[in-house]
């Protein structure tokens, strides 16, 4: 019997991180934050001085990445980089490393290894389209760019990180554009995915809708 996967894809700050983690906890499923992998590749590349345009080196780095996840910690070697990978600089760099097919390929097996009984909730950009095409449920979670910028602003401020709402909106639009126009595994709502727009929904209502979608499958 195959282990069920719930794939949740969508643009940045659509709320998919919070909703996916909560769903995983409620179902007792494992959880994959695939964006964190791209972010850790970007962080390590920055620290090691690998050029953002050097796809071959970035792929090598992705293949040999000493990363592991424990509760809310993202461990690079033994260092918890969970906060360090959330800066705007790393967000932009992660979107950049994600355009290289060899980087994506290098992270494939690592992502699929998260599929363990009793099930997996996986979130990202290509969970339903590429990594887990046989997912039991595919949800495309989105919200207007303005609402997403506000949510991201609040998130950063709550973490004690600096933030500027106009810069965030611009950066978000630039990242959406790059993520949705890249040649490999672009950010799109797959034909077999259910669209969930959370623009007018508070987190509780959004979670309730998500749960109903999952229960219906
Ligand atoms: O979900 P996130 O914002 O943490 O993702 C950071 C970047 O990583 C995003 O701009 C694009 C890339 N990404 C990707 O290409 N594919 C995924 N499955 C997840 C993230």
């Amino acid at each position: 019997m195959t282990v069920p996967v719930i794939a949740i894809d969508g643009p940045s700050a659509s709320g998919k991180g919070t909703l996916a983690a909560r769903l995983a906890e409620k179902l007792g499923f494992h959880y994959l934050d695939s964006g964190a992998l791209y972010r850790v590749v970007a962080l390590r590349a920055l620290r090691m001085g690998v050029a953002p345009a050097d796809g071959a080196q970035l792929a090598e780095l992705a293949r040999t990445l000493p990363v592991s996840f424990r509760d809310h910690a993202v461990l690079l070697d033994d260092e918890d980089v969970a906060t360090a990978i959330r800066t705007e600089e790393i967000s932009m760099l992660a979107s950049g490393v994600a355009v290289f097919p060899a980087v994506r390929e290098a992270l494939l097996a690592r992502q699929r290894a998260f599929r363990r009984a009793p099930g997996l909730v996986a979130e990202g950009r290509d969970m339903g389209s590429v990594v887990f095409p046989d997912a039991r449920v595919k949800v495309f979670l989105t919200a207007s760019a303005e609402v997403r910028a506000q949510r991201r602003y609040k998130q950063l401020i709550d973490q004690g990180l600096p933030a500027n709402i106009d810069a965030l909106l611009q950066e978000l639009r630039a990242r959406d554009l790059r993520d949705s126009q890249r040649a490999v595994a672009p950010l799109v709502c797959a034909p077999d995915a259910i669209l969930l727009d959370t623009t007018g929904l508070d987190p509780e209502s959004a979670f309730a809708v998500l749960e109903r979608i999952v229960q219906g499958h």
Side-chain angles (χ1 to χ4, degrees):
M1 212 182 81
T2 57
V3 175
V5 175
I6 296 165
I8 302 182
D9 290 304
S12 77
S14 56
K16 64 187 188 324
T18 318
L19 292 176
R22 190 169 158 192
L23 183 65
E25 196 172 319
K26 185 140 186 199
L27 296 173
F29 278 16
H30 297 282
Y31 168 57
L32 167 63
D33 168 6
S34 60
L37 287 171
Y38 289 92
R39 287 173 180 272
V40 174
V41 172
L43 179 71
R44 193 154 173 94
L46 180 69
R47 287 178 174 179
M48 292 177 64
V50 174
D54 192 342
Q57 275 248 51
L58 290 170
E60 179 56 23
L61 203 144
R63 257 190 301 277
T64 55
L65 201 66
V67 69
S68 58
F69 296 85
R70 206 169 302 149
D71 298 323
H72 293 287
V74 180
L75 298 172
L76 178 57
D77 286 319
D78 287 330
E79 177 194 357
D80 184 6
V81 294
T83 305
I85 58 169
R86 298 290 154 198
T87 63
E88 285 314 295
E89 183 186 20
I90 295 298
S91 298
M92 226 30 205
L93 286 171
S95 168
V97 307
V99 304
F100 294 105
V103 171
R104 309 196 67 83
E105 179 68 32
L107 295 176
L108 257 188
R110 211 183 271 265
Q111 295 175 80
R112 288 184 176 146
F114 278 79
R115 185 175 199 165
R116 280 176 284 126
L120 174 69
V121 178
E123 58 115 329
R125 304 290 186 289
D126 61 346
M127 296 299 98
S129 55
V130 176
V131 184
F132 303 108
D134 64 338
R136 195 175 73 190
V137 195
K138 301 180 185 182
V139 179
F140 190 83
L141 203 72
T142 191
S144 74
E146 289 77 9
V147 164
R148 289 186 287 125
Q150 274 163 21
R151 288 178 186 163
R152 183 93 183 107
Y153 177 80
K154 191 174 175 305
Q155 235 176 34
L156 290 168
I157 295 294
D158 286 351
Q159 288 171 14
L161 293 166
N164 172 298
I165 188 88
D166 295 331
L168 277 174
L169 183 58
Q170 261 188 26
E171 188 271 347
L172 221 131
R173 287 197 167 123
R175 201 141 65 93
D176 280 1
L177 200 70
R178 172 145 62 173
D179 290 350
S180 51
Q181 291 191 342
R182 70 178 175 226
V184 181
L187 170 70
V188 285
C189 179
D192 56 351
I194 297 157
L195 180 71
L196 170 50
D197 187 330
T198 67
T199 302
L201 299 178
D202 59 46
E204 282 309 314
S205 319
F207 187 69
V209 178
L210 178 63
E211 266 198 302
R212 271 205 301 278
I213 291 172
V214 171
Q215 279 160 5
H217 282 76

